[in-house]
Amino acid sequence: MDRQPLLSVRDLEIRFRMRHGDLTAVNRVSFDLARGDRLGIVGESGAGKSVTGFGILNLVSKPGYIAGGRLLFEGRELTALPEEDLRQIRGNRISMIFQDPMMTLNPVLTIGTQMVETILAHRAISRAEATAIALDRIRKVAIPSPQKRLQQYPHEFSGGMRQRIVIAIALLNSPALIIADEPTTALDVTIQADILELLLGLCQSEKMGLILITHDLAVVSQVAERIAVMYAGTIVEIGPTAQVAGNPQHPYTRGLLGALPQRVPRGGRLNQIPGMMPTLTRVPEGCPFSNRCTLCEEVCRRRVPPLEPKAAGCLAACHLLD
Amino acid sequence: MNTDTLVSIRDLHKHFDISGGWLDQLRFTGGRFARRKTLVQAVNGVSFDIMEGETVSVVGESGCGKSTLARTVMRLYPPQAGEVHYRGRRIDHLSREQFKPYRTRMQMIFQDPYASLNPRMRVRQILEEPIRFHRPKTSGSEVLDRVAEIMQQVGVDPEWRERYPHEFSGGQRQRISIARALAVDPEFIVADEPIAALDVSIQAQILNLMMDLQEKRRLTYLFISHDLSVVAHISNRVAVMYLGTLCELAAIDALFDRPRHPYTQALLSAIPRLGAKGFQHQRLTGDVPTPIDLPSGCVFHGRCPHANDRCAREVPTLRPQGQETLVACHGVAEGRLPD
Ligand SMILES: Nc1ncnc2c1ncn2[C@@H]1O[C@H](COP(=O)(O)OP(=O)(O)OP(=O)(O)O)[C@@H](O)[C@H]1O
Ligand SMILES: Nc1ncnc2c1ncn2[C@@H]1O[C@H](COP(=O)(O)OP(=O)(O)O)[C@@H](O)[C@H]1O
Ligand code: SF4
Ligand SMILES: [Mg+2]
Ligand SMILES: [Mg+2]
């Protein structure tokens, strides 16, 4: 990458303070995101995807804290910024979308009021100008009769429509980056496809960067240009979508792909990764995947494999790959 | 495959009365008070047969009535109308006592292994209970052997029999609920979203287990899921539901190679595809109507790109299309849908 990236995450480490000592939920995570680039983060439940997402906004709530690493966004170091400046960046330069639209929407305010207030919190413009922006964004997310819709309350919309409104709100201040954490997981497939297509189209037309967090490899392969695979708090593989979703390097990613019914003839037995992802208190020494890996050798149990360049533009953390 | 009918579902209707108390039901209309009931019409006239040894899946979007259908077949809900037959005998109207012998033959597995296992019981107790209930003459040591055997079969170490459900992972808990269903040697298992709460790698373990058990024990499955790639993988036939009605019932290859009903076509086109770039799915307009105010005619007509006047008026019935497909659509029956 020749230009300076929009976001550069280096050795991010996020811990939770627990009674019996600290838990490391995100362990030395590093990646770059160029302007307008779309990165997918996939992994199983508890892998650390959401904590990473919140971490980027420096929004880890107690008992969690950022224990180390750097977060360079548009040339500013977020870990060192005062709360007031961070608030300006959140919802202004970076927006977040969650699985549950009601994390964003206030049930007792009309959609219009919420949108206008959000704009006015970040910009010194008139109410009329703010309303015009709100209308424009509602149109962008393809909600019919926008004038009327602005006067309605969240409960008057279906789940899919609510998620469209959340996207409209995320767009209000023309952010440079959207972080979407399982934005379609609660939706039916037909609506999921509509919402993902909308999100993808907007990122392209508005030149916004996107970090799409999901457990669904197929979903992220349709939207992202690059995919990062997380396992037990670390990135085990990151690379171009075609490579990670088509010909992955890391044994865990390969296992995951083989477990998908799409990749196996109908009625055939699926690949089983033995065991389950360890809880954070029991992550093995050395490679975090070593206790489930069928290729595991002695070195894997001794040393943590670094995330290094492997085949075809991928980085993977595995001792046994060249 | 043997083609004996195991379960026959005939014109099944299940409605829920959500009007609340007497006062909630009062409406002032046309100058006087009237009592009005609010009904959720969750399942409306669903019919199909399940053959011995096969897997029939029911797919459709959230709220379309999949779970209600499953529970009505299992007699957890009494139907408003319609019948359920098991090996040719009508079972929906039997008394509790008369139904008891069927309880061992039909078992259900639920989505949430947390909620369906009693947290205060040890795994051994959870598995002993159905055996003792249905086979009271079994001796203590036989029961223990049986528990060890089924734990083995579902891949949970029998050494762990004295543990409590919370000491197991989600996947292991789902194995234990499968073990509980198997404890009484059933023929027919209704599984309502059994893997929806599990991670992909664990889903694969449970699906493999279900396929293995089916082979070994000749089980028949009614499998409820919203995950179409999973359904494509494990089913022999698929029933597609929309708003409480069946729109298409087809053999697996026929369904995925050539979906006929406009809703099936839209649904299949929206499945996330590994490696597909962007989106080519069919876009549906409008929201799914509520099952409280069912649309007239075809329940899909408000969102269907092929709807005409007849669709808004007349309810389409399931009709054969080719060898292996039944479709409820006027457009298909009239041959006016593009291929
Ligand atoms: N407030 C907290 N206190 C302690 N541990 C936490 C807290 N929040 C998250 N964790 C732990 O951090 C790890 C990563 O959690 P995270 O929410 O990022 O997972 P995820 O990959 O987003 O999973 P999912 O797919 O289930 O959303 C988990 O082990 C989780 O239990
Ligand atoms: N116990 C109940 N009381 C009232 N309404 C119900 C009940 N169970 C289900 N419903 C309603 O019936 C419809 C079908 O629900 P369900 O069978 O659970 O759908 P699915 O399993 O396909 O998601 C929905 O509108 C749901 O809200
Ligand atoms: S019956 Fe009419 S409205 Fe219903 S699916 Fe067929 S063409 Fe569409
Ligand atoms: Mg999460
Ligand atoms: Mg259900």
Side-chain angles (χ1 to χ4, degrees), chain B residues 247 261-263 297-308 310-312 314-316 328-332 336-337:
Chain B
C247 18
H261 194 284
Y263 175 67
C298 169
V299 282
F300 188 55
H301 84 259
R303 304 177 74 202
C304 178
H306 310 290
N308 63 15
R310 184 183 178 204
C311 303
E314 199 183 311
V315 179
C329 167
H330 297 309
V332 172
R336 62 176 169 82
L337 253 59

Side-chain angles (χ1 to χ4, degrees), chain B residues 127-140 143:
Chain B
L127 298 178
E128 276 176 2
E129 192 179 60
I131 303 175
R132 290 189 194 284
F133 179 77
H134 290 290
R135 304 220 157 74
K137 293 200 197 77
T138 323
S139 75
V143 172

Side-chain angles (χ1 to χ4, degrees), chain B residues 16 18 40 42 61-69 77 291:
Chain B
F16 296 101
I18 54 161
V40 179
E61 301 183 87
S62 159
C64 73
K66 305 182 293 296
S67 299
T68 304
L69 174 68
Y77 294 146

Side-chain angles (χ1 to χ4, degrees), chain B residues 70 100 121 129-130 231 270 272 287 310 314:
Chain B
K100 207 175 149 188
M121 279 165 78
E129 192 179 60
V231 164
D287 288 333
R310 184 183 178 204
E314 199 183 311

Side-chain angles (χ1 to χ4, degrees), chain A residues 46 49-51 181-182 213:
Chain A
K49 307 181 295 292
S50 299
V51 174
D181 189 353
E182 307 269 9
I213 295 173

